[in-house]
Amino acid sequence: MSDDNIIDPYVLQLASPDVKEAFGALQVLKTRGTEALPQLLAALQGEDPSIRTMAVVVLGELGAAADVSIPHIVELLKEENEQLQTAAALTLVRIGPASIPALVEAIQQDQEQDSRSWFWAVWALSFLAPSIIKEDTVHRLNRVREAGDTPLETIAAEEALGKIIAGKLTE
């Protein structure tokens, strides 16, 4: 077995029920910076939703240095797990402007398929480039605000709409 197939113990500790241990693992992986990217990207493909979510959080901690992970993180926006979707969207915001093209593409693809997975992509884009969000997307976002599937969706829709409105006022 090659070293590439061995999961770093700190990646596994991200899912620890012991908050102190999980936070410690997050800090260690964060200090490794881009050296931790291969292990974190592998963790995104795993089965355990806790490890996947925490791996996304660590990628967000790396900020722009994690830009190579953007395509993998955008795929997580399609997951059914709302915690994983939310963490992925926040990480894309933390990675920054490099995420914008992938978010725009995700929104366009998902709207064509009439899927709800576009929602967290729009939320992230509202932080990075609210002025490029199209009017029809704003209307769909408002419908989520009025009748979201979860309370978190409703609140996030309000937040995104606020960012979009604020962006229009400052243009």
Side-chain angles (χ1 to χ4, degrees), residues 129-133 164-171:
S131 63
I132 68 170
I133 297 174
I164 294 166
I165 291 167
K168 301 267 185 221
L169 294 174
T170 58
E171 285 180 349

Side-chain angles (χ1 to χ4, degrees), residues 9 19 27-28 32 44 64 81 85 87 112 125 128-129 137 145 148 156:
V19 174
Q27 293 303 316
V28 168
R32 289 185 183 169
L44 294 181
N81 181 317
Q85 289 174 319
E112 291 167 7
L125 192 59
L128 295 169
T137 303
R145 182 190 62 81

Side-chain angles (χ1 to χ4, degrees), residues 15-29:
S16 173
D18 179 341
V19 174
K20 190 174 182 179
E21 184 176 304
F23 186 73
L26 187 149
Q27 293 303 316
V28 168
L29 290 166

Side-chain angles (χ1 to χ4, degrees), residues 30-168:
K30 180 181 172 185
T31 61
R32 289 185 183 169
T34 57
E35 181 185 311
L37 284 172
Q39 286 287 319
L40 293 169
L41 292 174
L44 294 181
Q45 308 305 315
E47 296 289 322
D48 187 324
S50 296
I51 292 176
R52 294 174 78 206
T53 300
M54 290 302 293
V56 171
V57 170
V58 176
L59 289 166
E61 291 286 324
L62 298 178
D67 63 351
V68 298
S69 66
I70 291 170
H72 304 282
I73 297 169
V74 168
E75 284 301 308
L76 298 178
L77 297 175
K78 299 174 183 175
E79 295 280 332
E80 294 295 322
N81 181 317
E82 188 175 52
Q83 186 176 16
L84 186 53
Q85 289 174 319
T86 306
L90 183 56
T91 292
L92 291 165
V93 170
R94 295 183 82 186
I95 289 173
S99 300
I100 294 171
L103 289 167
V104 170
E105 184 178 333
I107 293 165
Q108 289 171 343
Q109 286 177 351
D110 289 340
Q111 282 184 333
E112 291 167 7
Q113 298 170 8
D114 199 29
S115 159
R116 288 287 299 258
S117 63
W118 61 273
F119 175 77
W120 288 108
V122 173
W123 180 86
L125 192 59
S126 75
F127 281 81
L128 295 169
S131 63
I132 68 170
I133 297 174
K134 296 181 179 175
E135 196 64 31
D136 61 326
T137 303
V138 172
H139 290 299
R140 286 184 77 193
L141 193 56
N142 194 44
R143 285 195 295 275
V144 173
R145 182 190 62 81
E146 292 171 348
D149 287 342
T150 68
L152 181 58
E153 265 189 7
T154 302
I155 292 167
E158 287 178 4
E159 182 177 38
L161 287 166
K163 294 279 185 193
I164 294 166
I165 291 167
K168 301 267 185 221

